[in-house]
C-alpha cells in the first residue's frame, strides 16, 4: 500500500485496527497482573527503533523524517487510534506510517505477526 | 548458584526468614509486544536499519534518565564556578555529571542535535521549555519526555497561555515574575535551572538533587523541600484536534 500525499489517518489498516480493538494495553495488563512498571518492557526497543529510523530514513528515497514521523503519530493518535494510550499509540502509529508509505506490506505484516506470536508461544 | 540457594531450591515447604519475593509479571503475550518485534524484524530485513544500530539506540534509551540533570543543578547551586560553567558551556558541565552529548553515535542521537543551553531562573524570570513543532527534549541528560510534553495540547497552549497551563500543574507565579517559554527544536535543546528554594541551607548535593525533579527542570514545577516526585497530570485530548 502506497498512499503518497494522502493523510495517513484517512487510510484503514485492518491489522492494526484489530490490534487496537483488542486493547491489550500495558495499563490493562499491568492492572490485571499487579505489575507496577509504568511503561511496557518493549518501550525502550521502540525508542531504539524510532531513533534508528530517524537516523537512516530521512535522507534516503523514503524521505521519512523525524518530523513526519511525529506529525503522523500526533494525527493518528487523535483519530484512528484515539482510544489507545501512550506508548501503544506511538507503536501502532509507526506501524501505520510504514504500511501506508508502502515500506511494509500489510499482508506481510500480518504473516509476521502470526509467526512471531507462534514463536513466543512455543 | 550458591550452596545455600541450591538447598533452598529443593526445600520449598519450610518456613524461613529469607523470603525471596518475585515481582509479579505480565504472564501473557500481548499484541503490542508481538507488533514491536514484527515491525523491528521487518525493518531490519528491509534494510531500514541494522540490528546493531537498533541495539545501540535501545541501550541508549535504557540508560538515560533525569538523574544527571538533577545532579548538575544541585552542584551548580553549591559551586559558583560550576554554575558559571553550566550557564556558559552546558555541554562541558554535562560531561562532569557523566553525560556526553556526542553519544551514542559520535554525533548525538538523531533527534538530539548537540547544542544545549541551560536557562537560569531568577527571582524576576521563570523559564519553561516546550517543543511546539514535535517533542524535542534534552533526552541525553533528562531522559525520555513525559507523555504530556509530547501532546499537541501542551505544545500549543504553553506558548499562548503559559500562566494558565502552568497553573494546571499547580504552579501559580506572581504577576511580577516574567514567564519565558523556550521553544526547543532539532538544532537546539534547553533545560531550566530553577532557583534554590528556601529551607535548604546546609543541604548536601545528594539532598538537593532529590528535590530537583524532572518537572522542575522542564519548568512546570519549583523545587520544594519534601517534594521528590513529579506531578501526575491526566493527558486530555485536545478540544480542537489538529484535524480541525
Amino acid at each position: 500500500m502506497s498512499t503518497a500525499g494522502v493523510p495517513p489517518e484517512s487510510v484503514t489498516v485492518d491489522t492494526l485496527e484489530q490490534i487496537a480493538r483488542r486493547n491489550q494495553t500495558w495499563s490493562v495488563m499491568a492492572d490485571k497482573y499487579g505489575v507496577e512498571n509504568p511503561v511496557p518492557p518493549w518501550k525502550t526497543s521502540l525508542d531504539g527503533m524510532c531513533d534508528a529510523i530517524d537516523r537512516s530514513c530521512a535522507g534516503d528515497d523514503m524521505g521519512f523524517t523525524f518530523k513526519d514521523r511525529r506529525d503522523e503519530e500526533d494525527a493518528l493518535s487523535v483519530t484512528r487510534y484515539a482510544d489507545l494510550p501512550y506508548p501503544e499509540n506511538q507503536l501502532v502509529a509507526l506501524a501505520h506510517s510504514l504500511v501506508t508509505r508502502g515500506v511494509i506490506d500489510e499482508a506481510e505484516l500480518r504473516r509476521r505477526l502470526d509467526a512471531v506470536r507462534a514463536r513466543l508461544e512455543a | 548458584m550458591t550452596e545455600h540457594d541450591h538447598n533452598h531450591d529443593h526445600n520449598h515447604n519450610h518456613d524461613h526468614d529469607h523470603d525471596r519475593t518475585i515481582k509479579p509479571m505480565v504472564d501473557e503475550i500481548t499484541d503490542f509486544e508481538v507488533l514491536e518485534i514484527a515491525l523491528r524484524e521487518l525493518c531490519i530485513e528491509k534494510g531500514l536499519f541494522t540490528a546493531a544500530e537498533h541495539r545501540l539506540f535501545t541501550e541508549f534509551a535504557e540508560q538515560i534518565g533525569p538523574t544527571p540533570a538533577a545532579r548538575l543543578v544541585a552542584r551548580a547551586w553549591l559551586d559558583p564556578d560550576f554554575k558559571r560553567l553550566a550557564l556558559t558551556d552546558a555541554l562541558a558541565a554535562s560531561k562532569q555529571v557523566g553525560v556526553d552529548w556526542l553519544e551514542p553515535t559520535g554525533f548525538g542521537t538523531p533527534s538530539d542535535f548537540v547544542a544545549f543551553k541551560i536557562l537560569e531562573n531568577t527571582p524576576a524570570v521563570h523559564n519553561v521549555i516546550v517543543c511546539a513543532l514535535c517533542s524535542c527534549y534534552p533526552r541525553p541528560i533528562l531522559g525520555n519526555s513525559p507523555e504530556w510534553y509530547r501532546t499537541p495540547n501542551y505544545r500549543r497552549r504553553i506558548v499562548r497561555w503559559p500562566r494558565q497551563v502552568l497553573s494546571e500543574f499547580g504552579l501559580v507565579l506572581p504577576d511580577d515574575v516574567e514567564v519565558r517559554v523556550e521553544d526547543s527544536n532539532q538544532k537546539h535543546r534547553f533545560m531550566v535551572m530553577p532557583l534554590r528554594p528556601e529551607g535548604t541551607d546546609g543541604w548536601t548535593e545528594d539532598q538537593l538533587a532529590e528535590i530537583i525533579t524532572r518537572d522542575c527542570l522542564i519548568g512546570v514545577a519549583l523545587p520544594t523541600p519534601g517534594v521528590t516526585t513529579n506531578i501526575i497530570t491526566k493527558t486530555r485530548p485536545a478540544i480542537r484536534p489538529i484535524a480541525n
Side-chain angles (χ1 to χ4, degrees):
Chain A
M1 186 191 303
S2 180
T3 53
V6 176
E9 64 272 24
S10 65
V11 180
T12 305
V13 182
D14 286 332
T15 307
L16 298 175
E17 303 264 340
Q18 283 165 20
I19 289 175
R21 271 200 301 277
R22 206 164 158 220
N23 197 35
Q24 287 181 306
T25 59
W26 184 248
S27 50
V28 171
M29 291 293 120
D31 257 6
K32 184 174 169 185
Y33 289 95
V35 175
E36 291 168 358
N37 305 25
V39 289
W42 45 263
K43 173 67 168 89
T44 48
S45 183
L46 172 62
D47 289 338
M49 187 155 38
C50 290
D51 273 337
I53 287 174
D54 291 345
R55 188 186 193 198
S56 64
C57 298
D60 64 11
D61 294 344
M62 207 175 137
F64 186 38
T65 65
F66 168 72
K67 185 175 180 306
D68 293 334
R69 178 174 68 72
R70 286 290 293 115
D71 283 351
E72 291 180 19
E73 181 190 324
D74 285 343
L76 289 161
S77 295
V78 294
T79 53
R80 291 259 162 215
Y81 308 114
D83 291 336
L84 285 181
Y86 175 81
E88 280 81 1
N89 55 12
Q90 183 189 15
L91 171 64
V92 174
L94 178 64
H96 189 107
S97 290
L98 293 173
V99 170
T100 54
R101 282 163 185 275
V103 177
I104 291 173
D105 177 72
E106 189 183 349
E108 181 184 28
L109 175 63
R110 191 182 287 270
R111 283 196 300 276
R112 183 58 60 103
L113 288 168
D114 291 343
V116 170
R117 180 170 280 285
R119 208 161 71 214
L120 296 184
E121 289 176 347
Chain B
M1 184 182 285
T2 64
E3 181 70 16
H4 178 83
D5 288 335
H6 180 79
N7 289 336
H8 173 92
D9 287 342
H10 290 276
N11 291 283
H12 295 290
N13 297 323
H14 67 265
D15 291 330
H16 45 66
D17 59 3
H18 52 279
D19 281 345
R20 294 197 300 182
T21 52
I22 297 170
K23 288 253 185 191
M25 290 167 60
V26 170
D27 193 15
E28 196 170 328
I29 294 159
T30 71
D31 291 336
F32 298 103
E33 177 184 359
V34 172
L35 176 60
E36 191 279 323
I37 297 170
L39 202 57
R40 171 160 38 95
E41 288 182 357
L42 289 168
C43 285
I44 290 169
E45 285 169 26
K46 290 172 186 300
L48 269 64
F49 51 79
T50 66
E53 285 168 336
H54 175 262
R55 194 185 66 246
L56 182 73
F57 287 120
T58 302
E59 284 174 359
F60 173 77
E62 280 169 358
Q63 57 87 27
I64 54 174
T67 306
R71 172 111 358 234
L72 185 151
V73 170
R75 196 169 297 172
W77 282 349
L78 293 171
D79 178 349
D81 288 340
F82 185 72
K83 180 177 177 180
R84 209 167 298 118
L85 179 70
L87 296 174
T88 54
D89 188 348
L91 295 178
S94 298
K95 268 195 176 170
Q96 292 198 19
V97 293
V99 172
D100 184 347
W101 280 68
L102 292 177
E103 295 292 337
T105 62
F107 302 95
T109 66
S111 53
D112 290 312
F113 193 85
V114 186
F116 176 48
K117 187 177 177 192
I118 296 172
L119 311 166
E120 183 187 17
N121 279 358
T122 69
V125 175
H126 177 85
N127 293 284
V128 58
I129 63 167
V130 67
C131 172
L133 191 66
C134 41
S135 50
C136 298
Y137 189 75
R139 282 194 307 164
I141 200 160
L142 205 46
N144 277 324
S145 56
E147 179 190 356
W148 54 259
Y149 184 89
R150 297 165 56 87
T151 58
N153 208 6
Y154 172 76
R155 288 155 37 199
R156 186 168 53 184
R157 292 171 64 242
I158 189 77
V159 292
R160 294 179 189 169
W161 307 290
R163 285 178 194 274
Q164 181 190 329
V165 174
L166 291 177
S167 75
E168 291 167 10
F169 286 91
L171 177 56
V172 179
L173 295 165
D175 288 343
D176 60 352
V177 174
E178 180 189 343
V179 179
R180 286 188 191 156
V181 181
E182 192 72 52
D183 195 359
S184 316
N185 57 50
Q186 268 189 288
K187 301 290 180 200
H188 225 124
R189 299 302 155 91
F190 303 93
M191 183 182 95
V192 176
M193 180 185 289
L195 283 168
R196 180 172 174 176
E198 301 282 331
T200 57
D201 288 349
W203 282 29
T204 64
E205 187 176 305
D206 284 350
Q207 285 176 300
L208 291 169
E210 273 192 15
I211 61 166
I212 304 166
T213 62
R214 176 202 69 204
D215 287 351
C216 298
L217 299 160
I218 295 173
V220 296
L222 298 178
T224 309
V227 178
T228 56
T229 53
N230 292 304
I231 300 150
I232 297 170
T233 54
K234 183 167 166 45
T235 302
R236 291 177 287 273
I239 293 167
R240 290 183 295 276
I242 46 179
N244 300 336

